Every structure is written in structure tokens, then in C-alpha cells.
Amino acid sequence: MQKLTLMDSRWENSSWEDFVKNQLLQGGLINGICLFSKLRAVLYTYGNLANTSQDDSEQFLQHFVHVNDETSKTLDERGFHLNLQDGQSTSFHIHSRTMSSIHATGAGNQAGLLVGNLPYGVLLCTFDPSHHSAQNAIKQFEQVCGLLRS
């Protein structure tokens, strides 16, 4: 995997790893990260999403192509399926969505999944929804997506 560098004066000379550490991992709420390009390439993985592959990308990318039609409803009902770092196959049920983000949880509230549509890719993050800080994880994720969209 190539080393990603942020091309924004706000993070001059910062690597993607520094950005992730300072913006997503700080506070210990997020436990998995994956960044896909719009061309389905896996650009970065971390933690719970370290096993995410290019084959997984389509299920996320298509949610932001079919936003306001019948296909969108079918996609929402299907949810997402991922193999997390522990090798366990997890199905995620979508709870809420906007034009740019999706919030989902795994069966039995075992994992939370956040999906953000970015100008050049899609960001996935997992978190532990059993913590009372699930809303904080969502807020942190949305703030990071806002930074990456600006």
C-alpha cells in the first residue's frame, strides 16, 4: 500500500497516518478504518477493518450512486457484510443515512459501522456501540468527513 500524504495547507507535511492518529484514533472511540478510492482501490486500512479488500468496496460505493431510487431502498435493506479483523463475518443493519453518510450496527450491537462519502473515495470506520460514547464516535467521524470534504 502506498504512503498517503495530505495535500492541504492545514496539514502541511502531515501524512495520512498522522491525520488518522490525531483526528480519528484520539480518544479511543474508533477501532477500525478503511479508505477506498472511487475506483475501488483500498488506500488505507487499520485495526478492525485491516482485512477489508477491494472486493468489499462495491457494496459501499453503490450506496452513494443510487441515493433516491428504488435501488437505494433495496441496498439499505441488504445492509453491509464484512469480515472484521478477528475473521468473523459480520452483517450490518443500516439505521440512518444522509446524502453523504451511513450509520449501521452489527447483529447484537457487536460493532458499529460508519460510512462516509468523500469527493474521491469512501471512508469506513468501526466503533464499539456498547460504549456510552457511540454518539461521540459518530460526531468525531462526521467532523473528520467534513474536514476531508472541505
Side-chain angles (χ1 to χ4, degrees), residues 36 49 52-53 56 59-60 80-84 88-92 113 124 126:
F36 291 114
L49 294 173
T52 309
S53 71
D56 296 316
Q59 65 180 321
F60 300 102
F80 302 114
H81 304 279
L82 284 172
N83 289 320
L84 299 180
Q88 176 178 318
S89 178
T90 304
S91 295
F92 291 90
L113 177 67
L124 312 178
T126 55

Coordinates of all heavy atoms in Angstrom, one line a residue, residues 36 49 52-53 56 59-60 80-84 88-92 113 124 126:
F36 N -11.4 3.7 0.7 CA -11.4 3.2 -0.6 C -11.4 4.4 -1.6 O -12.0 5.5 -1.3 CB -12.8 2.5 -0.9 CG -13.0 1.2 -0.3 CD1 -14.0 1.1 0.7 CD2 -12.3 0.1 -0.6 CE1 -14.2 -0.1 1.3 CE2 -12.5 -1.1 0.0 CZ -13.5 -1.2 0.9
L49 N -10.8 -3.1 10.6 CA -11.0 -3.2 9.1 C -9.8 -3.5 8.3 O -9.7 -3.3 7.1 CB -11.6 -1.8 8.7 CG -13.0 -1.6 9.2 CD1 -13.5 -0.2 8.8 CD2 -14.0 -2.6 8.7
T52 N -10.2 -5.6 5.2 CA -11.1 -5.2 4.1 C -10.4 -5.2 2.8 O -9.2 -4.8 2.7 CB -11.6 -3.7 4.4 OG1 -12.1 -3.7 5.8 CG2 -12.7 -3.3 3.5
S53 N -11.0 -5.7 1.7 CA -10.4 -5.8 0.4 C -11.2 -5.0 -0.6 O -12.3 -4.5 -0.4 CB -10.4 -7.3 0.0 OG -11.7 -7.7 -0.3
D56 N -14.7 -5.8 -1.2 CA -15.7 -5.2 -0.3 C -16.2 -3.8 -0.8 O -17.3 -3.4 -0.3 CB -15.2 -5.1 1.1 CG -14.8 -6.4 1.7 OD1 -15.6 -7.4 1.6 OD2 -13.7 -6.6 2.3
Q59 N -20.0 -2.7 -2.4 CA -21.2 -2.6 -1.5 C -21.4 -1.2 -0.9 O -22.5 -0.8 -0.6 CB -21.3 -3.7 -0.5 CG -20.2 -3.6 0.6 CD -20.3 -4.7 1.6 OE1 -21.4 -5.1 2.0 NE2 -19.1 -5.3 1.9
F60 N -20.2 -0.5 -0.7 CA -20.3 0.8 -0.1 C -20.4 1.9 -1.2 O -21.2 2.8 -1.0 CB -19.0 1.1 0.7 CG -18.9 0.1 1.8 CD1 -18.0 -1.0 1.7 CD2 -19.6 0.2 3.0 CE1 -17.9 -1.9 2.7 CE2 -19.6 -0.8 4.0 CZ -18.7 -1.8 3.9
F80 N -24.8 -4.2 5.0 CA -23.4 -4.4 4.6 C -22.9 -5.8 5.2 O -23.4 -6.2 6.3 CB -22.4 -3.3 5.1 CG -22.8 -2.0 4.6 CD1 -23.3 -1.0 5.5 CD2 -22.7 -1.6 3.3 CE1 -23.6 0.3 5.0 CE2 -23.0 -0.4 2.8 CZ -23.5 0.6 3.7
H81 N -21.9 -6.4 4.6 CA -21.3 -7.6 5.1 C -19.8 -7.5 5.0 O -19.2 -7.2 4.0 CB -21.8 -8.8 4.3 CG -23.2 -8.9 4.3 ND1 -23.9 -9.5 5.4 CD2 -24.1 -8.5 3.4 CE1 -25.2 -9.5 5.1 NE2 -25.4 -8.9 3.9
L82 N -19.1 -7.7 6.2 CA -17.6 -7.5 6.2 C -17.0 -8.6 7.1 O -17.7 -9.1 8.1 CB -17.3 -6.2 6.9 CG -17.4 -4.9 6.0 CD1 -17.2 -3.7 6.9 CD2 -16.4 -5.0 4.9
N83 N -15.8 -9.0 6.8 CA -15.0 -9.8 7.7 C -14.1 -8.9 8.5 O -13.3 -8.2 7.9 CB -14.1 -10.8 6.9 CG -15.0 -11.9 6.2 OD1 -15.9 -12.4 6.8 ND2 -14.6 -12.2 5.0
L84 N -14.4 -8.8 9.8 CA -13.6 -7.9 10.6 C -12.3 -8.6 10.9 O -12.0 -9.7 10.6 CB -14.4 -7.6 11.9 CG -15.7 -6.9 11.7 CD1 -16.4 -6.6 13.0 CD2 -15.5 -5.6 10.9
Q88 N -14.2 -12.8 11.8 CA -15.6 -13.0 12.0 C -16.4 -12.3 10.9 O -16.2 -11.1 10.7 CB -16.1 -12.5 13.4 CG -17.5 -12.6 13.7 CD -17.8 -12.2 15.1 OE1 -17.1 -12.5 16.0 NE2 -18.9 -11.4 15.2
S89 N -17.3 -13.0 10.2 CA -18.2 -12.3 9.2 C -19.3 -11.6 10.0 O -20.0 -12.2 10.8 CB -18.7 -13.4 8.3 OG -19.6 -12.7 7.3
T90 N -19.4 -10.3 9.7 CA -20.4 -9.5 10.4 C -21.4 -8.8 9.4 O -20.9 -8.3 8.4 CB -19.7 -8.4 11.2 OG1 -18.8 -9.1 12.1 CG2 -20.7 -7.6 12.0
S91 N -22.6 -8.9 9.7 CA -23.7 -8.2 8.9 C -24.1 -7.0 9.6 O -24.3 -7.0 10.8 CB -24.9 -9.1 8.7 OG -24.6 -10.3 7.9
F92 N -24.2 -5.9 8.9 CA -24.5 -4.6 9.5 C -25.9 -4.1 8.9 O -26.1 -4.1 7.7 CB -23.5 -3.5 9.1 CG -22.1 -3.8 9.8 CD1 -21.2 -4.5 9.2 CD2 -21.9 -3.3 11.1 CE1 -19.9 -4.8 9.8 CE2 -20.7 -3.5 11.7 CZ -19.7 -4.2 11.1
L113 N -20.7 0.6 12.5 CA -20.0 0.9 11.2 C -20.5 2.3 10.7 O -21.7 2.6 10.6 CB -20.4 -0.1 10.1 CG -19.8 0.1 8.8 CD1 -18.2 0.0 8.8 CD2 -20.3 -0.9 7.8
L124 N -14.6 4.3 5.8 CA -15.3 3.4 6.7 C -14.6 3.5 8.1 O -13.4 3.5 8.1 CB -15.3 2.0 6.3 CG -15.6 1.6 4.8 CD1 -15.4 0.1 4.6 CD2 -17.0 2.1 4.5
T126 N -15.1 1.7 12.2 CA -15.9 0.9 13.1 C -15.7 1.4 14.5 O -14.7 2.1 14.8 CB -15.5 -0.6 13.1 OG1 -14.1 -0.7 13.3 CG2 -15.9 -1.2 11.7

